Amino acid sequence: MKRFLTGLQPSGALHIGNYFGALKPFVDQYRSYESFLMVVDYHALTSLKDPAALRENILSATKDYLAAGVDPEQVTLFQQSQVQEHTELAWILECLVTVPFLELSHAYKDKLAKGLEANAGLFNYPMLMAADILLYDTDIVPVGADQRQHVEYAREAAAKFNNTYELLFKEPQGLIQETVATVPGTDGKKMSKSYKNTIPLFGSRDDIAQAVMSIVTDSSGERPEHVYAIHSLFKDAPALDALYEVHRGKYKALKEALIEDVDALVAPMREKRASISDADVVRVLAEGSARAKEKAGAKMQAVRKAIGVVL
Ligand code: TYM
């Protein structure tokens, strides 16, 4: 059975870009594969240094996955930091790639351009992500378009290792669904926590309404393009075109219709989420991480042998 794996950073509340770009494709397809889903808490450390917030975000992100339809009996759902093999393999991969190669990272350059601290973790981020993927012999990685290059880095890291030592790693494929590859935010740019243009996935109805009402509209057109673009995630084109025809030029009515549609999707998940306790999350992550550790541990033993540190 092919292996299917993805991860999301617990760096803040999930938004509908994360949901449509990565979580929903994962939930829709994981039953056809042997599947792995990670809370990548060590990646979040590149930007988040508040221990209470990190702890809270790990609990909260895991509740989001479970509420969105991830069954921990069928998916190895785990916490990256509980499987130390990830950081161990990342180091080995870092010793195989060059600084100029890592300097090509768009994500790194974008973050610097936004004024984020250029810590060494941020720079080495792609090799930790490569380790996340390669440790499990992953075939397919469902992600949004912004992660395309990161999956490419994982392929290159696998090839570098295989050429230098022995053929141990599979080169994974990214799975990027074009219609949701880059979900736009309330200002039309890519939806992103750091642009403050998000619609929260598990916000209250009021939070959703507030975010939708803040979608930037261009008063010259008949159809508010940014509203329409987000709305197209929730309704197919014929239904949407009919709705936008009936409410031609009535931006407020269209935004209210969008609030209804977002809330209709989220309400059942929100209800399910409210029934999941912190203790449930701790148990699920401990079980999943133990399962992941078994696989990662065996793989790392082969890696240690291949590089020459097993005497
Ligand atoms: P992160 O936490 O930034 O985002 C999680 C997932 O959400 C997708 N995404 C979007 N998709 C469409 N439109 C958007 N506006 C949008 N914003 C975010 C991202 O593409 C991602 O799939 N480096 C990864 C986490 C990671 C990972 C991994 C992923 C670490 N290790 C191994 C896969 C496999 C990240 O920062 O995602």
Side-chain angles (χ1 to χ4, degrees), residues 6-7 9 17-18 22 43 125 129 132 143-144 146-147 180-181 183 191:
T6 200
Q9 293 190 63
N18 300 132
H43 275 113
Y125 186 113
M129 179 158 162
D132 297 341
V143 281
D146 59 354
Q147 299 299 312
V180 289
V183 172
M191 186 175 288

Side-chain angles (χ1 to χ4, degrees), residues 4-56:
F4 195 59
L5 171 145
T6 200
L8 293 93
Q9 293 190 63
S11 51
L14 288 197
H15 53 70
I16 64 167
N18 300 132
Y19 178 70
F20 285 101
L23 193 52
K24 185 172 185 296
F26 182 87
V27 168
D28 289 346
Q29 296 174 61
Y30 76 76
R31 288 176 191 80
S32 312
Y33 302 96
E34 182 180 354
S35 298
F36 300 82
L37 179 61
M38 263 174 305
V39 187
V40 289
D41 47 1
Y42 274 164
H43 275 113
L45 216 53
T46 58
S47 61
L48 185 62
K49 266 86 176 181
D50 173 343
L54 182 56
R55 207 173 297 123
E56 190 48 46

